[in-house]
Amino acid sequence: GELALAFKNRLKISDGVISRQSIHYVSDPFYVQDYPNDIGLSKSNLGYLRSLATVTYPTESYLFYGGLIHHQSLIVSTDSPPTTQTEKRADRGSLTQLPRLGIGQKFSEMVSNYLFFEWDSQFVNYWRPDESFDNNIPLPGDVEITPGAPYQEGDFIREGRRFQLEPRWFAQIPLTRGLEIQPMVRGMFSAYQFDLPTVSTPHRESLTTEVPLSFYLSRVFESDTPGFNKMSHLIQPRLIYGSSLYRSPLPSHPFFKSTHPTFDANDLVSQFEYFKLELIQRLRRQVEGKSVRFVTFQLSNQYNSRTDKSDARFSDPSFKHHWGPIQGYFNLDIQSFSATLEGYYQWEK
């Protein structure tokens, strides 16, 4: 028989300290071929199952994070939808992020009411209990790839370490009542360490900006419903301009060469320029004298005036076409009940 397990849990350890656990496991790597929707799998990503355990600890000024993420490798058969060309319908072996550590400084003022600053940093060690690379290249004279063969140029490096630092600067410029500009500049520094083919420490840098023009409309309602006696409705249309100001060239290390898989989405550094129209609506209510948000709805669409035609492995697919994607978000949070719904539709193929 075949066994599948899906488990999620959220544990409050102490005031502000939260642990989350999510376990996905199958006893047979071919399980998803027979039951692709059984444990919430996406047909576009049948190559692995993700499990995680994390702890977050916030202080007044900083947020600390620690945990591990494990990807159980699955075998994708030849009649399944294609993922990427580099998957080759094969079991690539498990991959674990152990440890995954982060620290960030919360939103803080630099110039009162006008200029703000925050930053995040993250260190991840990518580790595999088996080989540190995927053997893709046959040795001379081999009919098939030899298991346990030494590393050769062209094999996929799957172990390494990555450190990322992302500072963000914000300005708040009021124009008139209910209308303001909030420009933001984001930097990114990514440093890697690989043991193959030799010990090396390549790095990448990027700088992007986003300039939202926000308009605010609000109204206060009163009702006789307990817990909802006084509510406020905020409508916030936003026109956003975004652009990549700088992106360093791809390093010459084999990890950054074509057809080589990335570690995860944090390796993406795109070139882009876009205009986005966004509509945000929020409902708040009074709870014990405090204003608490209980409904959030957001809908957006963007036009990419500059599309990213560079290496798809290191670029966000949102910038591949002139139009799209349409994105939606809905959150309901009332006392102990919380529900979130997200949608994404790329209407230009």
Side-chain angles (χ1 to χ4, degrees):
E2 297 181 9
L3 170 69
L5 173 65
F7 170 81
K8 289 186 178 182
N9 182 50
R10 182 179 182 271
L11 176 65
K12 182 178 179 181
I13 299 176
S14 62
D15 189 23
V17 182
I18 303 295
S19 175
R20 292 179 173 85
Q21 306 89 43
S22 176
I23 299 174
H24 293 89
Y25 170 78
V26 292
S27 59
D28 188 332
F30 288 97
Y31 183 92
V32 296
Q33 304 306 318
D34 298 324
Y35 311 101
N37 300 313
D38 191 47
I39 52 178
L41 288 172
S42 167
K43 289 187 177 181
S44 63
N45 191 17
L46 299 176
Y48 64 85
L49 285 176
R50 188 178 76 161
S51 298
L52 60 86
T54 65
V55 175
T56 55
Y57 172 62
T59 66
E60 184 176 345
S61 301
Y62 296 93
L63 177 66
F64 298 88
Y65 167 93
L68 67 91
I69 298 178
H70 176 72
H71 294 95
Q72 179 188 1
S73 181
L74 306 176
I75 296 178
V76 181
S77 68
T78 55
D79 58 352
S80 296
T83 50
T84 63
Q85 186 178 1
T86 58
E87 289 288 347
K88 295 187 178 180
R89 319 275 191 224
D91 183 354
R92 288 292 175 194
S94 61
L95 180 64
T96 301
Q97 301 178 28
L98 178 65
R100 185 184 180 98
L101 304 173
I103 180 175
Q105 180 181 350
K106 297 180 181 179
F107 202 71
S108 59
E109 287 186 347
M110 296 180 64
V111 178
S112 179
N113 297 324
Y114 289 101
L115 189 61
F116 306 86
F117 174 72
E118 64 181 9
W119 58 267
D120 293 309
S121 64
Q122 182 187 90
F123 170 81
V124 184
N125 177 50
Y126 293 89
W127 171 78
R128 294 176 72 180
D130 310 314
E131 295 287 346
S132 60
F133 62 91
D134 289 336
N135 193 315
N136 286 330
I137 309 300
L139 293 171
D142 285 350
V143 178
E144 298 180 351
I145 294 174
T146 302
Y151 173 82
Q152 302 179 80
E153 184 178 355
D155 290 339
F156 294 161
I157 299 170
R158 303 302 301 278
E159 284 192 346
R161 287 138 303 274
R162 184 185 67 204
F163 171 78
Q164 291 187 308
L165 175 64
E166 181 181 313
R168 296 178 293 274
W169 295 268
F170 304 83
Q172 187 168 290
I173 307 173
L175 300 178
T176 185
R177 182 176 179 179
L179 185 66
E180 67 179 14
I181 296 178
Q182 302 165 309
M184 182 269 292
V185 175
R186 176 190 290 113
M188 174 63 81
F189 171 75
S190 301
Y192 299 79
Q193 184 186 52
F194 300 104
D195 299 324
L196 296 173
T198 59
V199 176
S200 58
T201 55
H203 56 86
R204 304 185 69 191
E205 300 82 34
S206 67
L207 190 65
T208 63
T209 186
E210 189 173 89
V211 184
L213 175 63
S214 300
F215 183 68
Y216 296 89
L217 294 171
S218 64
R219 184 177 178 181
V220 177
F221 299 87
E222 294 185 355
S223 73
D224 297 328
T225 304
F228 299 87
N229 301 102
K230 190 174 183 180
M231 297 181 294
S232 63
H233 182 198
L234 173 67
I235 302 176
Q236 182 185 3
R238 300 207 307 168
L239 178 62
I240 305 170
Y241 169 77
S243 177
S244 56
L245 304 177
Y246 171 75
R247 182 177 71 169
S248 61
L250 284 175
S252 58
H253 188 274
F255 180 82
F256 300 96
K257 292 185 177 180
S258 61
T259 73
H260 197 295
T262 61
F263 284 139
D264 55 36
N266 287 336
D267 292 316
L268 305 180
V269 182
S270 295
Q271 292 180 328
F272 61 84
E273 184 179 55
Y274 67 84
F275 294 88
K276 177 186 290 187
L277 183 61
E278 187 173 74
L279 176 64
I280 304 173
Q281 298 195 59
R282 300 183 182 93
L283 289 175
R284 307 181 72 93
R285 63 192 182 105
Q286 292 291 324
V287 178
E288 298 179 351
K290 297 181 180 179
S291 178
V292 178
R293 183 173 60 197
F294 68 98
V295 171
T296 302
F297 173 75
Q298 181 174 329
L299 186 66
S300 66
N301 187 216
Q302 70 186 46
Y303 174 76
N304 297 311
S305 54
R306 182 175 64 186
T307 58
D308 192 345
K309 302 299 184 182
S310 59
D311 193 330
R313 299 167 305 119
F314 296 99
S315 302
D316 190 326
S318 300
F319 305 118
K320 291 297 179 184
H321 307 281
H322 282 296
W323 285 105
I326 299 174
Q327 295 176 283
Y329 173 85
F330 175 80
N331 175 257
L332 176 64
D333 195 344
I334 301 177
Q335 295 179 348
S336 60
F337 177 81
S338 179
T340 299
L341 178 65
E342 297 184 63
Y344 179 102
Y345 178 67
Q346 178 62 57
W347 61 295
E348 182 184 351
K349 303 297 183 180

